[in-house]
Amino acid sequence: MPPLGVLVLEKSHLCDVNSFCLGRAGTAAFAMSEKVRTRLEELDDFEEGSQKELLNLTQQDYVNRIEELNQSLKDAWASDQKVKALKIVIQCSKLLSDTSVIQFYPSKFVLITDILDTFGKLVYERIFSMCVDNRSVLPDHFSPENANDTAKETCLNWFFKIASIRELIPRFYVEASILKCNKFLSKTGISECLPRLTCMIRGIGDPLVSVYARAYLCRVGMEVAPHLKESLNKNFFDFLLTFKQIHGDTVQNQLVVQGVELPSYLPLYPPAMDWIFQCISYHAPETLLTEMMERCKKLGNNALLLNSVMSAFRAEFIATRSMDFIGMIKECDESGFPKHLLFRSLGLNLALADPPESDRLQILNEAWKVITKLKNPQDYINCAEVWVEYTCKHFTKREVNTVLADVIKHMTPDRAFEDSYPQLQLIIKKVIAYFHDFSVLFSVEKFLPFLDMFQKESVRVEVCKCIMEAFIKHQQEPTKDPVILNALLHVCKTMHDSVNALTLEDEKRMLSYLINGFIKMVSFGRDFEQQLSFYVESRSMFCNLEPVLVQLIHSVNRLAMETRKVMKGNHSRKTAAFVRACVAYCFITIPSLTGIFTRLNLYLHSGQVALANQCLSQADAFFKAAISLIPEVPKMINIEGKMRPSESFLLEFLCNFFSTLLIVPDHPERGVLFLVRELLNVIQDYTWEDNSDEKIRIYTCVLHLLSAMSQETYLYHIDKVDSNDSLYGGDSKFLAENNKLCETVMAQILEHLKTLAKDEALKRQSSLGLSFFNSILAHGDLRNNKLNQLSVNLWHLAQRHGCADTRTMVKTLEYIKKRSKQPDMTHLTELALRLPLQTRT
């Protein structure tokens, strides 16, 4: 593609790449054809229709139109219409000279410089692509010598084209946008262009337009040549020389025409000024700050300038000169830019860096003298919020209390606090960030009255959550401090009472987690009765959050076990009554829960605790309640928002239940194994899934339980609780009842295996048969001929249809042979001979 808008030059003029761009004296004259002159006139034409269509637009329509122009630029470039793309950029740049709607200027600057950045990137990538061919690739840090002639010529023509723009502002912006392209022409191209562009800005008369132009030059300069700080410094000092124009007659007249007050006009400057100052202060030595302060003094300590200095330089530099800055703030000219904003900027620095210790109190006093006199609540709270952190960081609760009292005094009249919730929230966060000792925090007299200003429920709950998060994070030891308990109970009650039918589950979980964290950190030591009273009060206060009730039940159970530990299992009349009170607490609370498996597991857990504390009748009540609840278990349950079959969870619960029933003694009035019988009846009547084998797996577990119950001495016991092995002592009637139950359960298992004799169920039949065989092998007495023959039949059933896993069968048989070598196990030798291994055919 031929270079864009090629100007007719004599060959000798191409040798000096920068001569035209830099506007040097003695530049050779060049001939301009009629075609080129026409093109230049087209470029300079703003297209009046396009300009008019941007007038009288709403702000949103204006933004949309600028975005359309940005897209048009990309489309024109993609369709190889480079001249059209340049014209779009020139049109947009001209808009930056328009200050007819002065308060919109910063927003317009951002929108249009985005287009300029896009244009600069497209031009650079286009020229860069010309330097890349199949033979070579341009390195990242290339020199002009690496660029070929085509790339250089195209680059030069772009600069010629831009230099032909008649108006200053679009010429400046468009050239600044492609500043990086100087890398293709000369090693010193950027360093020579920056001072010239800086001088060009001197021709811009409007100080607002001028300062944003300087900000753009600083931004581009820092991006492409951060090492050229001297050129950027010159730009900055030029700005200082023209700074007084802001208060000149021209600006004042313009503000009168637009009906804009000076306090509304001056805040348009800080975004640009801050960027300029930050570029200058980047990695700058501390001496530069001293120089800046001196220049500020010469300019009459202008508030706008002073604010930008404090915003730009490192906080450590500002903090060490805090008293100097306070002196300058006192003497500054604050017309249009009030002093309290300067104190706010100073406070932001002091939050990041510490001033000299000897100056800290004086700094606070000087700042607060100004802040407390502010009449506008919004101005006051914006400034006070910053200085609260400084107060918390360097002073005691006395000073913090004074500051909080002052905030309450200013924000309470006319309910001004309702418009300042974000700032008030920040104050709370800063206070709790520095006061980790909550006994000190709640002894701050004005802290709780400060919380009362949060009248809006959603905001109040968020504040309470912040307090509880801080408590859980920083409270290391359990507490019984009444000040902390009363305050946090109030905070937790506020969170709890916010729960309603529309509250999301995630929010409920979060609130429950925070309240549970508080409950866990409350301990009255050996005063167990006071601890139980606290749990009783908590239950009444937090009854709408199920996880909190679950935590309370666990806490009360733990309290009962701690009592047992203290008494070493030998309860006195008083402790026995206390433990029964704990058990009653759990028995009353569990039915109020909605989760079916939560209730089942808590009944079991609480029953175990009651049993450990020799509360036998209470333990029976828990276990009977669990048994009566099993029929209510639904087929599907909600697990983390997904519906899952419940049978596997029921199987897990029942296995745990069976382990407990082994050591539960029979009630003297209710017959042998009354709990096991009731449980078996419930299992029998429960409606299981059609293709489910869970019922048989449960029956297998029942056989394990009955086998353990038939032993002379059980595998485990609870201290001071006589289990059935002690009560019956191997009584023949007890063993006979046990055997009857075993026969009944085995009959149920065998009946189920018969129902699986179908093609689609043969694999299940094989698996269950082998599982039943292993249970008999582990728990049965194979010297019994019937049981021995049953095990052989089950072995053959597992292999009958070729569905058994051969490796499992081989390992099982090897185990039987190995076990047959043990004393009193010789009968297994005969059994092993009757267990053939079948191969699949």
Side-chain angles (χ1 to χ4, degrees):
M1 185 188 77
L4 173 66
V6 177
L7 298 175
V8 181
L9 303 173
E10 295 180 9
K11 290 184 180 179
S12 59
H13 296 155
L14 292 175
C15 300
D16 186 356
V17 171
N18 288 312
S19 60
F20 180 86
C21 295
L22 298 176
R24 294 175 182 172
T27 303
F30 59 92
M32 185 186 299
S33 66
E34 284 298 321
K35 181 180 179 181
V36 173
R37 184 178 290 107
T38 301
R39 284 187 179 178
L40 291 178
E41 289 173 355
E42 287 177 355
L43 282 179
D44 208 35
D45 178 20
F46 188 79
E47 295 186 358
E48 291 298 327
S50 299
Q51 184 179 16
K52 287 178 181 177
E53 71 178 22
L54 286 170
L55 298 176
N56 302 319
L57 294 179
T58 65
Q59 181 172 325
Q60 187 56 50
D61 291 338
Y62 195 100
V63 171
N64 294 339
R65 178 59 185 142
I66 294 295
E67 290 176 352
E68 288 174 11
L69 286 172
N70 196 359
Q71 187 59 45
S72 298
L73 166 66
K74 295 175 184 177
D75 294 342
W77 191 273
S79 59
D80 209 23
Q81 300 180 57
K82 304 297 188 293
V83 174
K84 181 180 178 181
L86 181 58
K87 288 175 70 175
I88 291 172
V89 175
I90 294 171
Q91 291 170 29
C92 293
S93 300
K94 284 186 177 183
L95 294 173
L96 289 174
S97 62
D98 175 28
T99 56
S100 57
V101 186
I102 202 162
Q103 288 172 304
F104 184 61
Y105 193 85
S107 302
K108 180 166 65 174
F109 171 81
V110 172
L111 293 168
I112 292 173
T113 53
D114 185 43
I115 294 178
L116 288 164
D117 292 342
T118 301
F119 175 72
K121 183 180 178 183
L122 290 172
V123 173
Y124 182 84
E125 289 176 351
R126 165 66 181 154
I127 299 171
F128 187 87
S129 67
M130 292 180 173
C131 302
V132 180
D133 54 33
N134 295 329
R135 293 169 296 172
S136 63
V137 178
L138 206 61
D140 292 335
H141 301 287
F142 63 89
S143 63
E145 290 77 18
N146 300 123
N148 56 38
D149 291 341
T150 304
K152 288 181 179 181
E153 186 178 359
T154 302
C155 181
L156 189 62
N157 276 291
W158 273 112
F159 281 108
F160 286 157
K161 185 70 71 177
I162 292 166
S164 303
I165 300 171
R166 291 194 179 102
E167 292 188 28
L168 172 63
I169 290 177
R171 184 167 72 250
F172 162 78
Y173 274 105
V174 179
E175 184 175 348
S177 70
I178 66 165
L179 181 66
K180 189 177 180 180
C181 295
N182 279 285
K183 293 170 65 175
F184 296 103
L185 302 176
S186 167
K187 290 181 179 180
T188 60
I190 294 176
S191 61
E192 292 172 350
C193 276
L194 276 174
R196 180 173 55 79
L197 289 171
T198 300
C199 293
M200 285 173 67
I201 298 175
R202 294 176 182 175
I204 300 174
D206 190 309
L208 185 65
V209 177
S210 171
V211 75
Y212 276 92
R214 294 186 190 281
Y216 185 68
L217 184 60
C218 279
R219 204 202 78 186
V220 174
M222 286 296 290
E223 183 181 341
V224 302
H227 57 285
L228 298 175
K229 290 289 290 289
E230 286 301 320
S231 298
L232 298 178
N233 288 349
K234 182 182 178 184
N235 181 29
F236 170 72
F237 292 129
D238 268 11
F239 163 70
L240 290 182
L241 290 171
T242 59
F243 184 75
K244 289 186 177 181
Q245 287 181 325
I246 294 175
H247 300 281
D249 293 339
T250 306
V251 172
Q252 298 299 324
N253 294 336
Q254 185 183 18
L255 296 182
V256 170
V257 170
Q258 294 198 27
V260 177
E261 298 290 334
L262 193 62
S264 300
Y265 173 68
L266 290 182
L268 302 177
Y269 283 85
M273 289 175 62
D274 288 350
W275 183 263
I276 296 170
F277 275 81
Q278 285 170 15
C279 290
I280 300 306
S281 62
Y282 181 68
H283 288 170
E286 200 167 355
T287 53
L288 182 60
L289 175 58
T290 306
E291 184 181 351
M292 291 295 103
M293 292 173 72
E294 291 300 322
R295 287 180 175 268
C296 284
K297 290 176 183 178
K298 291 178 181 178
L299 290 169
N301 290 329
N302 183 278
L304 195 61
L305 199 58
L306 199 56
N307 186 66
S308 291
V309 170
M310 288 191 289
S311 301
F313 282 86
R314 287 174 55 187
E316 292 82 358
F317 295 170
I318 305 295
T320 55
R321 295 169 170 77
S322 298
M323 290 307 300
D324 294 335
F325 275 104
I326 286 176
M328 294 172 69
I329 292 171
K330 283 181 176 181
E331 299 172 5
C332 77
D333 170 20
E334 60 171 339
S335 56
F337 200 89
K339 287 183 181 179
H340 71 84
L341 293 180
L342 299 178
F343 275 107
R344 186 179 191 278
S345 296
L346 179 61
L348 289 171
N349 281 285
L350 296 181
L352 299 173
D354 299 335
E357 189 170 353
S358 58
D359 295 338
R360 289 174 184 174
L361 183 58
Q362 188 179 355
I363 291 170
L364 179 61
N365 289 334
E366 293 291 346
W368 210 260
K369 282 178 188 176
V370 175
I371 297 169
T372 196
K373 290 178 182 177
L374 295 172
K375 302 299 182 186
N376 184 302
Q378 204 60 42
D379 290 343
Y380 171 85
I381 197 63
N382 285 335
C383 204
E385 169 257 314
V386 172
W387 282 89
V388 164
E389 182 170 3
Y390 174 79
T391 310
C392 294
K393 193 175 183 181
H394 298 296
F395 299 98
T396 64
K397 69 175 186 178
R398 176 173 166 271
E399 288 79 11
V400 172
N401 189 60
T402 303
V403 170
L404 293 182
D406 196 60
V407 174
I408 294 170
K409 176 184 173 183
H410 279 79
M411 302 307 294
T412 303
D414 300 324
R415 300 177 69 85
F417 53 77
E418 292 183 343
D419 299 321
S420 305
Y421 283 139
Q423 294 91 334
L424 294 174
Q425 282 181 268
L426 285 173
I427 289 175
I428 287 290
K429 288 179 180 179
K430 289 171 181 178
V431 171
I432 61 179
Y434 286 97
F435 284 82
H436 297 165
D437 186 341
F438 277 73
S439 61
V440 174
L441 176 64
F442 289 123
S443 66
V444 175
E445 184 183 350
K446 294 298 181 181
F447 183 75
L448 292 178
F450 191 93
L451 292 182
D452 291 338
M453 286 196 294
F454 295 98
Q455 300 285 313
K456 188 177 179 181
E457 185 182 63
S458 59
V459 179
R460 187 167 68 248
V461 171
E462 286 301 316
V463 171
C464 290
K465 285 162 68 174
C466 289
I467 294 172
M468 292 311 303
E469 285 170 358
F471 177 79
I472 292 170
K473 181 178 180 181
H474 298 298
Q475 186 71 22
Q476 301 296 325
E477 299 294 331
T479 182
K480 61 178 181 179
D481 187 326
V483 175
I484 295 178
L485 297 189
N486 289 333
L488 291 185
L489 275 173
H490 172 70
V491 169
C492 291
K493 184 78 167 81
T494 300
M495 294 193 299
H496 170 270
D497 291 348
S498 70
V499 175
N500 55 46
L502 300 178
T503 305
L504 297 175
E505 288 301 318
D506 284 347
E507 178 70 7
K508 289 182 182 178
R509 274 194 290 270
M510 182 63 183
L511 296 178
S512 300
Y513 164 76
L514 295 173
I515 296 173
N516 285 343
F518 164 61
I519 290 171
K520 292 175 186 177
M521 293 305 296
V522 176
S523 174
F524 290 89
R526 288 292 184 89
D527 191 350
F528 292 161
E529 291 182 348
Q530 184 66 31
Q531 190 81 37
L532 182 59
S533 297
F534 170 76
Y535 292 144
V536 171
E537 183 182 2
S538 297
R539 180 178 62 186
S540 66
M541 294 178 73
F542 310 127
C543 57
N544 290 332
L545 289 172
E546 186 160 312
V548 177
L549 294 178
V550 172
Q551 176 60 45
L552 287 170
I553 293 169
H554 284 306
S555 298
V556 171
N557 279 329
R558 187 174 66 249
L559 185 62
M561 294 306 292
E562 287 177 2
T563 307
R564 178 180 184 273
K565 181 179 178 181
V566 170
M567 300 304 294
K568 298 181 180 177
N570 298 309
H571 284 299
S572 64
R573 182 178 297 178
K574 183 178 180 181
T575 59
F578 175 77
V579 167
R580 285 195 295 273
C582 292
V583 170
Y585 177 102
C586 297
F587 193 76
I588 292 169
T589 310
I590 292 173
S592 64
L593 305 176
T594 57
I596 187 77
F597 281 101
T598 302
R599 279 185 281 161
L600 284 171
N601 286 308
L602 284 174
Y603 274 133
L604 177 57
H605 183 227
S606 300
Q608 292 167 344
V609 171
L611 200 60
N613 284 281
Q614 300 116 53
C615 301
L616 301 184
S617 60
Q618 287 86 349
D620 285 348
F622 278 116
F623 297 141
K624 287 186 68 178
I627 292 170
S628 65
L629 193 59
I630 290 173
E632 298 179 20
V633 175
K635 296 291 181 292
M636 305 291 286
I637 57 172
N638 191 315
I639 304 293
E640 296 181 353
K642 295 181 180 179
M643 300 305 293
R644 307 283 176 122
S646 63
E647 288 188 358
S648 60
F649 297 96
L650 183 57
L651 174 62
E652 181 184 358
F653 165 75
L654 289 172
C655 289
N656 291 334
F657 198 1
F658 295 148
S659 300
T660 302
L661 289 178
L662 175 63
I663 53 175
V664 177
D666 282 343
H667 194 283
E669 298 177 0
R670 295 182 182 172
V672 177
L673 302 177
F674 77 100
L675 286 175
V676 176
R677 290 176 186 277
E678 287 188 15
L679 185 55
L680 284 173
N681 290 334
V682 169
I683 295 170
Q684 177 65 28
D685 295 338
Y686 186 79
T687 306
W688 302 89
E689 293 289 338
D690 293 338
N691 295 320
S692 170
D693 298 321
E694 299 295 346
K695 181 178 179 180
I696 303 308
R697 292 191 175 92
I698 290 171
Y699 278 147
T700 304
C701 293
V702 172
L703 286 179
H704 301 165
L705 169 63
L706 295 173
S707 173
M709 284 183 164
S710 66
Q711 306 300 312
E712 290 184 8
T713 304
Y714 290 171
L715 297 171
Y716 46 87
H717 295 85
I718 289 180
D719 190 31
K720 296 182 174 57
V721 174
D722 292 331
S723 298
N724 285 341
D725 57 342
S726 300
L727 293 179
Y728 294 109
D731 181 72
S732 57
K733 290 183 179 179
F734 172 76
L735 293 177
E737 288 293 330
N738 190 304
N739 288 337
K740 282 183 183 178
L741 282 176
C742 285
E743 290 173 2
T744 303
V745 172
M746 291 171 69
Q748 292 284 341
I749 295 174
L750 293 174
E751 186 66 29
H752 183 77
L753 287 173
K754 287 179 183 178
T755 64
L756 299 178
K758 302 174 185 176
D759 290 344
E760 67 274 10
L762 292 177
K763 194 168 185 180
R764 287 167 54 201
Q765 185 188 58
S766 173
S767 175
L768 286 175
L770 183 59
S771 175
F772 190 19
F773 172 85
N774 286 329
S775 293
I776 294 174
L777 182 64
H779 300 280
D781 183 2
L782 290 172
R783 287 171 293 194
N784 182 298
N785 290 333
K786 288 184 179 180
L787 207 56
N788 192 298
Q789 184 58 46
L790 176 61
S791 64
V792 172
N793 293 342
L794 290 170
W795 179 269
H796 287 290
L797 179 65
Q799 298 184 97
R800 181 175 299 167
H801 300 287
C803 297
D805 181 12
T806 305
R807 289 183 62 189
T808 303
M809 304 297 285
V810 170
K811 287 185 178 180
T812 303
L813 189 56
E814 288 175 355
Y815 168 75
I816 294 171
K817 291 177 180 179
K818 183 178 179 181
R819 194 175 169 197
S820 67
K821 297 176 182 178
Q822 298 176 3
D824 300 327
M825 292 291 174
T826 53
H827 59 282
L828 294 180
T829 304
E830 181 185 350
L831 176 65
L833 296 174
R834 299 174 64 193
L835 302 177
L837 286 172
Q838 297 180 6
T839 56
R840 296 182 184 179
T841 59

